[in-house]
Amino acid sequence: MGSLFKDTKQFTFMSIMFGITIFFTYTAGMIPAGMASVAILCFIPTVLTSLIYGIKAGAFMGALAGLVTLSRAIIAPAGILDPYFINPLVSVLPRIFIGIVPYFIYKIVKMLTKSKALSFFFSGAFGAIINTALVMPMLYLIYGTEIAKAVGTSFKVLLIGIITSSMLLEAFVMGIFTVAIMMVYIKKNPNIKVEK
């Protein structure tokens, strides 16, 4: 843990990101959309942490975000799928990768395009995409039949509906927020981890 919080600045940053995660998860960041709760803003702090402090800090923040999601599923479920997020294999494990994948997406896009703005955008977008890409298979593997009965349709139809209505919007919004925040941040703090 000591190596994760290398200085007061990083500890303060991650504490703020965790607070923002809690706020968005329990309020504006989780927007009920039919059968699924669309996480639009609550995982942006995880993406930002990954880009600024690297994959170790990002994975840790992702795990915290997953635990907050789990707590919300217990305390204040809003969607028909929320009860299934009590299982940490659904709510926590996939969210760890939201703190890892964007870091490498930035590296790849930056190498191909030389554009920081595009790299930040795709980092945020893939943070949202990896969330759906990992959470939905976990739901299917563990609760597929149960969910199909609960929603009255096949899991495949449910998945297509979530991808077309939720994931694309989530990816676009997270991409826009990430590029907007990071382009401002690097003006005063250019030495972020992903640039090293």
Side-chain angles (χ1 to χ4, degrees):
M1 189 67 72
S3 62
L4 183 61
F5 302 117
K6 295 180 181 179
D7 53 45
T8 304
K9 182 180 178 181
Q10 182 173 343
F11 179 78
T12 302
F13 176 88
M14 293 183 68
S15 298
I16 292 170
M17 291 297 102
F18 183 51
I20 292 172
T21 298
I22 294 172
F23 174 77
F24 281 140
T25 299
Y26 278 90
T27 56
M30 300 294 285
I31 300 175
M35 292 174 292
S37 293
V38 185
I40 291 180
L41 299 176
C42 59
F43 297 120
I44 289 178
T46 299
V47 174
L48 299 179
T49 301
S50 174
L51 296 172
I52 294 168
Y53 286 108
I55 58 175
K56 188 175 180 181
F60 181 73
M61 185 59 64
L64 290 178
L67 288 170
V68 174
T69 305
L70 186 154
S71 72
R72 180 181 177 276
I74 296 171
I75 298 169
I80 197 169
L81 295 181
D82 281 2
Y84 304 107
F85 283 79
I86 293 172
N87 187 333
L89 292 176
V90 176
S91 58
V92 180
L93 181 60
R95 274 57 190 271
I96 291 172
F97 292 92
I98 301 175
I100 298 173
V101 172
Y103 180 92
F104 293 105
I105 292 296
Y106 181 92
K107 294 274 191 185
I108 293 168
V109 177
K110 181 75 181 300
M111 181 179 64
L112 295 173
T113 67
K114 310 299 181 187
S115 169
K116 288 183 179 181
L118 277 176
S119 302
F120 286 135
F121 176 83
F122 281 105
S123 295
F126 271 87
I129 291 169
I130 200 68
N131 178 52
T132 303
L134 294 180
V135 168
M136 296 310 294
M138 292 303 289
L139 283 171
Y140 175 75
L141 289 172
I142 302 171
Y143 302 113
T145 304
E146 188 177 334
I147 291 172
K149 290 179 181 177
V151 300
T153 186
S154 71
F155 197 90
K156 183 185 290 186
V157 172
L158 175 66
L159 180 59
I160 291 172
I162 289 175
I163 290 174
T164 56
S165 67
S166 303
M167 188 183 74
L168 298 178
L169 171 64
E170 189 177 328
F172 178 76
V173 171
M174 281 187 68
I176 292 296
F177 269 83
T178 301
V179 69
I181 294 168
M182 288 304 301
M183 291 304 288
V184 173
Y185 185 89
I186 61 173
K187 287 182 179 179
K188 293 186 176 182
N189 304 275
N191 297 318
I192 59 174
K193 188 77 172 182
V194 78
E195 283 288 342
K196 295 179 181 178

